[in-house]
Amino acid sequence: GNSVTQMEGPVTLSEEAFLTINCTYTATGYPSLFWYVQYPGEGLQLLLKATKADDKGSNKGFEATYRKETTSFHLEKGSVQVSDSAVYFCALSGSGGYQKVTFGTGTKLQVIP
Amino acid sequence: EPEVTQTPSHQVTQMGQEVILRCVPISNHLYFYWYRQILGQKVEFLVSFYNNEISEKSEIFDDQFSVERPDGSNFTLKIRSTKLEDSAMYFCASRGVVGGSGGEQYFGPGTRLTVT
């Protein structure tokens, strides 16, 4: 079945530091890949997505590139802010059927001033 | 911007009681989902619903769970006899596109269920 593996947290960074959260996946076919963000006490928000190999998803300064050869979708941001503190989930949905989303375990990011 | 809404935001119930969690998906969406997140753990798929029937369910979704779309707008999750281990955040999601890939799911804010 499909699965997503992402780096363990928590990750603590100083403001303006560079962020990378690693994510790799296992799936059959050609899944769509997502990063969701969950701010404290809130629900899940779609941060960015990519639907095919070599696509780059981007939003709010965050980027991730769909790498089929390495089955990876690492999240990056050049300069984090305190407001980026949240839990980040890597996820995928299959290319057929009813496309349930399979989530990784989540990585908690804390940005300190 | 259209959004998925869920009520209540927090539900406290006693073990063995029935609970109904309610969701209003985005109005023109066709696929509906329930997920749960036990505190500190990852989000897990429960069930998907399309064309007024369950299209897929996980092993978590046993006979204690049921879903319904009683009218054109609501989508509900019922737990018949709650157990302590049902305590979790429950997320509803909906998706619009028919077939293909890339149609992301829009998630509601969640209902926190606490079983005592």
Side-chain angles (χ1 to χ4, degrees):
Chain A
N2 296 339
S3 66
V4 176
T5 303
Q6 63 181 105
M7 64 187 284
E8 295 287 329
V11 173
T12 302
L13 294 174
S14 297
E15 205 165 22
E16 299 183 4
F18 184 85
L19 168 72
T20 300
I21 301 178
N22 290 335
C23 171
T24 57
Y25 67 90
T26 302
T28 55
Y30 302 94
S32 294
L33 303 176
F34 308 93
W35 278 98
Y36 284 88
V37 58
Q38 185 178 35
Y39 297 102
E42 298 187 13
L44 296 163
Q45 298 178 28
L46 179 66
L47 181 60
L48 53 85
K49 72 172 186 178
T51 60
K52 61 183 186 296
D54 300 325
D55 265 3
K56 177 186 282 188
S58 61
N59 187 25
K60 299 181 182 178
F62 291 89
E63 293 183 340
T65 301
Y66 189 144
R67 300 286 189 201
K68 192 162 179 63
E69 65 277 11
T70 55
T71 61
S72 65
F73 193 55
H74 305 320
L75 182 69
E76 296 182 335
K77 186 175 185 182
S79 176
V80 294
Q81 306 300 312
V82 172
S83 57
D84 294 326
S85 298
V87 180
Y88 293 81
F89 292 92
C90 186
L92 67 82
S93 69
S95 56
Y98 301 98
Q99 299 187 19
K100 67 183 180 187
V101 177
T102 299
F103 288 86
T105 52
T107 301
K108 183 174 183 178
L109 170 66
Q110 183 176 15
V111 181
I112 54 177
Chain B
E1 184 175 338
E3 58 182 16
V4 177
T5 60
Q6 290 184 243
T7 54
S9 57
H10 190 193
Q11 173 92 45
V12 181
T13 189
Q14 289 190 327
M15 195 166 52
Q17 296 296 303
E18 174 184 286
V19 294
I20 297 176
L21 310 182
R22 291 183 166 78
C23 167
V24 179
I26 294 173
S27 64
N28 61 349
H29 280 188
L30 301 173
Y31 296 85
F32 313 108
Y33 307 82
W34 284 101
Y35 295 81
R36 79 171 186 191
Q37 182 184 30
I38 295 172
L39 187 64
Q41 299 185 25
K42 69 175 172 182
V43 180
E44 302 172 291
F45 167 77
L46 290 178
V47 65
S48 61
F49 192 85
Y50 170 72
N51 200 25
N52 283 320
E53 60 183 21
I54 290 173
S55 47
E56 186 176 358
K57 61 183 180 179
S58 73
E59 60 273 14
I60 302 169
F61 194 88
D62 62 21
D63 293 344
Q64 293 300 312
F65 292 87
S66 62
V67 290
E68 193 177 32
R69 189 157 161 81
D71 53 40
S73 60
N74 290 284
F75 180 51
T76 62
L77 174 69
K78 181 193 291 186
I79 309 175
R80 287 191 186 82
S81 178
T82 50
K83 302 188 282 279
L84 294 176
E85 53 265 38
D86 293 328
S87 295
M89 181 74 90
Y90 288 81
F91 293 105
C92 173
S94 68
R95 178 170 71 86
V97 295
V98 178
S101 63
E104 65 264 28
Q105 294 181 20
Y106 292 81
F107 284 79
T111 293
R112 179 164 299 285
L113 176 65
T114 302
V115 182
T116 62

